[in-house]
Amino acid sequence: MAVCARLCGVGPARGCRRRGAAREQRRGAADSEPDTDTDPEEAGGGGGVTEDEEVAERIEGGRPAPPPVEAGPAGRAPLSLLELPPELLVQIFGSLPGTDLPSLARVCTTFRRILRTDTIWRRRCREEYGVCENLRKLEITGVSCRDVYAKRINPRVKSGRFMKILPDYEHMEYRDVYTCLLHRYRHILGLWQPDIGPYGGLLNVVVDGLFIIGWMYLPPHDPHVDDPMRFKPLFRIHLMERKCATVECMYGHKGPHNGHIQIVKKDEFSTKCNQTDHHRMSGGRQEEFRTWLREEWGRTLEDIFHEHMQELILMKFIYTSQYDNCLTYRRIYLPPSSPDDLIRPGLFKGTYGSHGLEIVMLSFHGKKAKGTKITGDPNIPAGQQTVEIDLAHPLQLPDIENLRDFSELSRIVLEVQEQVRREEQEQEQRQEEEERSQQAASQPAASPLGGEGAEGEETAAGAEGMTPDKAPASQPFVLPMGVISRNEDYPRTCRICFYGTGLIAGHGFTSPERTPGVFVLFDDDRFGFIWLELKSFSLYSRIKVSFQNAEAPSREAFDEMLKNIQSLAT
């Protein structure tokens, strides 16, 4: 009764609208009048901006208000939504997109009053942004939605009293959560690549309870490529006050502190820490390096005996620590999939010798498959295409005994490489002949053009025929003698192998070149690549994380994204 009275805008002494049908008909025309009366909560405002207008401004971004609804003819009850019970209107309005609700609130006073029901906005937060229903109680008690986050929070003490590190959600309204937090920062949700020179990275910005948190995903410790990903928070956004979202930097070991987020342009934003002193440790840079080394590599510098590897690790620490979480991020998409793909595309973690584990995106492009680095190193930076697989040229590996001989595998791969070169030269010659015939032709319909086109189609069909429709269930596999592998726990059977090329370069991405190699498909979640010139083997394992807001709007948008990150790396 109290809820119904609040929705109807009447007190207990005046009765309930559902129990007074006659009174409802008399008031129906008045309630459906355009919203020109003064709301009790707006009295004394003196013509200022109302709370509902502020909500509309935050959601709509200043769109013009729709024209008011005119009342029906006098003497006849209008057939409208106003005749429905308020609790039913709450259900109807709660099913509408949140961006449409401010316009609906301008229709009449009744609609505005009903749209202040927090149940509507709670439903929009849950359905549009995935806010969990039970997290309000957890946040009130000070328990975060992730244990890893709760463990990183240290209470801060000032004047003998604990300072509040979590906002007071007991009086928080979901309308404020929707308008001031979720809708305002909706453009930064999804996957991003930080601009950290050649090293790159993978940031996942998600709605986590009543927070928006940016999680940096890190590969497992080298060389355990099958272990799950590690992650740590870089920033979080929440409502410390009802009308203002607070951005906090989570970098360092002294708890959350003041930060700032700026949306630079579409698909790009930047973060800035306003209190970088929180990143420093009492033991100085040496202690910071030891802590970073344990987190990044899971070991101490004394455990790493390879001098070149020690230099690479120290170089990465010096380079990455100078940013102090003041970074620019660019959006990346997960690759679109097709039923014809060899395996499901996605993100993989792979071994790269002394550089440790790195994140690679596998995508399919017709008869080609590409592995693009999301994280990189000083030799091959993030954004570059580390491997390319020619799906039109499968390799028939020798028996298990001959496969141990590296020279035998090298002979097979080099023969396919020469075949690929001849086909590319023939294709170039055909294209040159087509261009000359088009220039020399005096009439649009020239017979040589049709012949060339037919020949090209026949060649493509022949190439397609080389790819088996059904690969064998499995075949024995072993690395040839002399091939170095960081992880000896690789599968001993594989499905199929293809000819491919791998990108190698000197320090600073000098003298890059593509060299031949072998792509080995083990199963749906693992593949490998043998670098013939380096005599090394990289093992890749799928990142099994369900990323939200990461799908590409179109195939063209994904291809454009790949070009952009590669051009930035170059």
Side-chain angles (χ1 to χ4, degrees):
M1 180 67 178
V3 175
C4 186
R6 179 173 61 85
L7 293 176
C8 297
V10 298
R14 296 172 60 188
C16 176
R17 182 180 301 170
R18 290 188 300 174
R19 296 169 57 186
R23 186 184 300 111
E24 173 63 24
Q25 292 181 359
R26 290 195 299 269
R27 296 181 56 196
D31 283 339
S32 60
E33 288 293 335
D35 187 17
T36 57
D37 58 334
T38 302
D39 194 276
E41 298 183 10
E42 300 170 7
V49 179
T50 65
E51 181 180 353
D52 294 287
E53 290 173 346
E54 291 179 356
V55 172
E57 180 69 21
R58 287 193 295 266
I59 295 181
E60 298 180 341
R63 290 186 300 184
V69 177
E70 297 182 358
R76 181 175 62 85
L79 300 176
S80 68
L81 291 174
L82 292 169
E83 297 179 356
L84 298 176
E87 59 270 20
L88 185 57
L89 290 179
V90 170
Q91 294 294 326
I92 295 175
F93 294 169
S95 63
L96 299 175
T99 53
D100 294 343
L101 298 184
S103 299
L104 191 62
R106 295 191 179 103
V107 173
C108 65
T109 306
T110 301
F111 283 7
R112 173 183 294 186
R113 192 161 43 240
I114 291 177
L115 286 172
R116 289 176 183 163
T117 306
D118 214 32
T119 307
I120 298 175
W121 297 98
R122 182 172 56 194
R123 179 177 176 183
R124 300 321 315 148
C125 291
R126 183 179 67 249
E127 295 184 359
E128 295 184 23
Y129 296 100
V131 175
C132 296
E133 192 73 29
N134 61 342
L135 284 176
R136 171 185 285 264
K137 184 177 180 180
L138 292 177
E139 297 294 353
I140 293 174
T141 58
V143 179
S144 178
C145 45
R146 290 198 183 186
D147 293 339
V148 65
Y149 162 68
K151 293 176 181 178
R152 293 183 62 89
I153 293 182
N154 296 320
R156 291 173 288 173
V157 181
K158 183 178 181 181
S159 301
R161 301 176 65 183
F162 285 98
M163 297 175 61
K164 185 185 298 183
I165 59 176
L166 287 175
D168 184 10
Y169 288 117
E170 188 175 1
H171 304 96
M172 185 66 65
E173 294 185 1
Y174 275 97
R175 182 173 68 165
D176 298 327
V177 174
Y178 185 95
T179 59
C180 301
L181 178 66
L182 302 179
H183 183 78
R184 178 181 177 184
Y185 290 98
R186 68 192 183 281
H187 296 299
I188 70 172
L189 299 177
L191 288 180
W192 304 83
Q193 185 183 47
D195 185 8
I196 315 179
Y199 298 103
L202 180 65
L203 180 79
N204 186 25
V205 183
V206 298
V207 176
D208 199 342
L210 298 179
F211 289 80
I212 291 179
I213 302 182
W215 297 95
M216 180 67 80
Y217 277 76
L218 306 172
H221 294 142
D222 181 55
H224 308 290
V225 68
D226 287 327
D227 287 355
M229 294 286 287
R230 300 174 294 124
F231 49 88
K232 64 178 182 179
L234 290 190
F235 62 85
R236 68 177 185 178
I237 315 172
H238 58 103
L239 294 182
M240 190 64 75
E241 300 177 357
R242 284 190 58 189
K243 303 299 182 183
C244 182
T246 301
V247 179
E248 291 181 321
C249 175
M250 303 291 291
Y251 189 80
H253 300 270
K254 295 184 179 180
H257 46 281
N258 188 22
H260 176 71
I261 286 181
Q262 179 182 3
I263 300 178
V264 181
K265 57 183 179 181
K266 182 183 179 182
D267 297 333
E268 183 176 327
F269 76 96
S270 61
T271 59
K272 180 182 179 182
C273 177
N274 298 330
Q275 294 175 290
T276 55
D277 57 299
H278 281 65
H279 305 168
R280 308 282 77 87
M281 300 185 70
S282 57
R285 296 287 283 177
Q286 193 172 14
E287 181 62 27
E288 293 175 11
F289 175 66
R290 290 196 187 98
T291 304
W292 175 86
L293 189 60
R294 287 194 299 268
E295 294 179 352
E296 188 81 9
W297 293 85
R299 64 185 78 176
T300 63
L301 195 62
E302 290 75 15
D303 298 332
I304 303 173
F305 303 103
H306 199 288
E307 184 177 352
H308 178 61
M309 190 173 181
Q310 291 180 351
E311 294 176 355
L312 292 174
I313 292 174
L314 183 59
M315 183 187 309
K316 184 175 182 179
F317 169 74
I318 295 174
Y319 193 95
T320 56
S321 61
Q322 65 180 337
Y323 286 92
D324 270 335
N325 206 22
C326 300
L327 297 168
T328 299
Y329 299 87
R330 295 178 178 86
R331 184 181 295 278
I332 59 176
Y333 299 114
L334 292 177
S337 60
S338 169
D340 299 330
D341 293 339
L342 185 65
I343 59 174
R344 180 168 56 89
L347 297 175
F348 292 78
K349 42 194 181 322
T351 57
Y352 278 87
S354 300
H355 299 292
L357 299 187
E358 299 182 13
I359 302 175
V360 172
M361 177 184 291
L362 180 67
S363 57
F364 292 91
H365 309 263
K367 289 301 177 181
K368 299 284 186 180
K370 299 179 181 180
T372 305
K373 279 194 172 186
I374 303 301
T375 62
D377 52 70
N379 291 72
I380 307 298
Q384 290 295 334
Q385 183 181 314
T386 175
V387 295
E388 181 177 276
I389 302 98
D390 191 343
L391 300 177
H393 292 86
L395 295 177
Q396 182 62 44
L397 296 181
D399 58 77
I400 195 68
E401 293 299 328
N402 291 327
L403 183 58
R404 297 181 183 274
D405 185 2
F406 179 80
S407 60
E408 178 65 16
L409 178 64
S410 179
R411 180 190 63 81
I412 296 174
V413 175
L414 294 179
E415 287 180 356
V416 177
Q417 182 188 33
E418 185 62 28
Q419 177 185 352
V420 172
R421 288 179 178 176
R422 290 196 303 267
E423 293 176 357
E424 290 177 350
Q425 291 177 354
E426 293 174 358
Q427 182 67 20
E428 292 177 358
Q429 292 177 358
R430 286 196 297 269
Q431 291 178 355
E432 292 177 357
E433 292 176 358
E434 289 180 0
E435 292 176 358
R436 286 196 297 266
S437 61
Q438 289 175 355
Q439 293 176 358
S442 57
Q443 297 181 356
S447 57
L449 292 178
E452 291 292 341
E455 183 180 356
E457 293 177 0
E458 183 178 355
T459 304
E464 291 183 5
M466 296 183 65
T467 304
D469 294 334
K470 292 184 179 180
S474 64
Q475 63 187 72
F477 176 81
V478 66
L479 286 177
M481 298 294 294
V483 175
I484 302 174
S485 175
R486 296 283 295 178
N487 193 334
E488 295 296 334
D489 190 22
Y490 61 87
R492 293 309 193 264
T493 59
C494 67
R495 292 183 182 177
I496 192 171
C497 299
F498 292 93
Y499 168 78
T501 59
L503 183 62
I504 63 174
H507 186 83
F509 197 50
T510 57
S511 305
E513 61 173 326
R514 306 207 68 87
T515 59
V518 180
F519 172 83
V520 186
L521 178 62
F522 295 114
D523 50 47
D524 290 337
D525 297 323
R526 289 179 296 180
F527 66 88
F529 192 84
I530 302 176
W531 311 73
L532 289 187
E533 185 166 332
L534 301 178
K535 285 189 176 182
S536 66
F537 173 74
S538 294
L539 178 63
Y540 301 83
S541 178
R542 185 182 299 276
I543 297 178
K544 299 178 181 180
V545 178
S546 299
F547 296 107
Q548 303 295 326
N549 303 295
E551 300 298 329
S554 64
R555 182 75 199 196
E556 293 74 16
F558 175 78
D559 294 337
E560 185 67 21
M561 181 271 299
L562 284 184
K563 293 180 181 178
N564 291 337
I565 63 175
Q566 185 172 0
S567 62
L568 292 172
T570 305

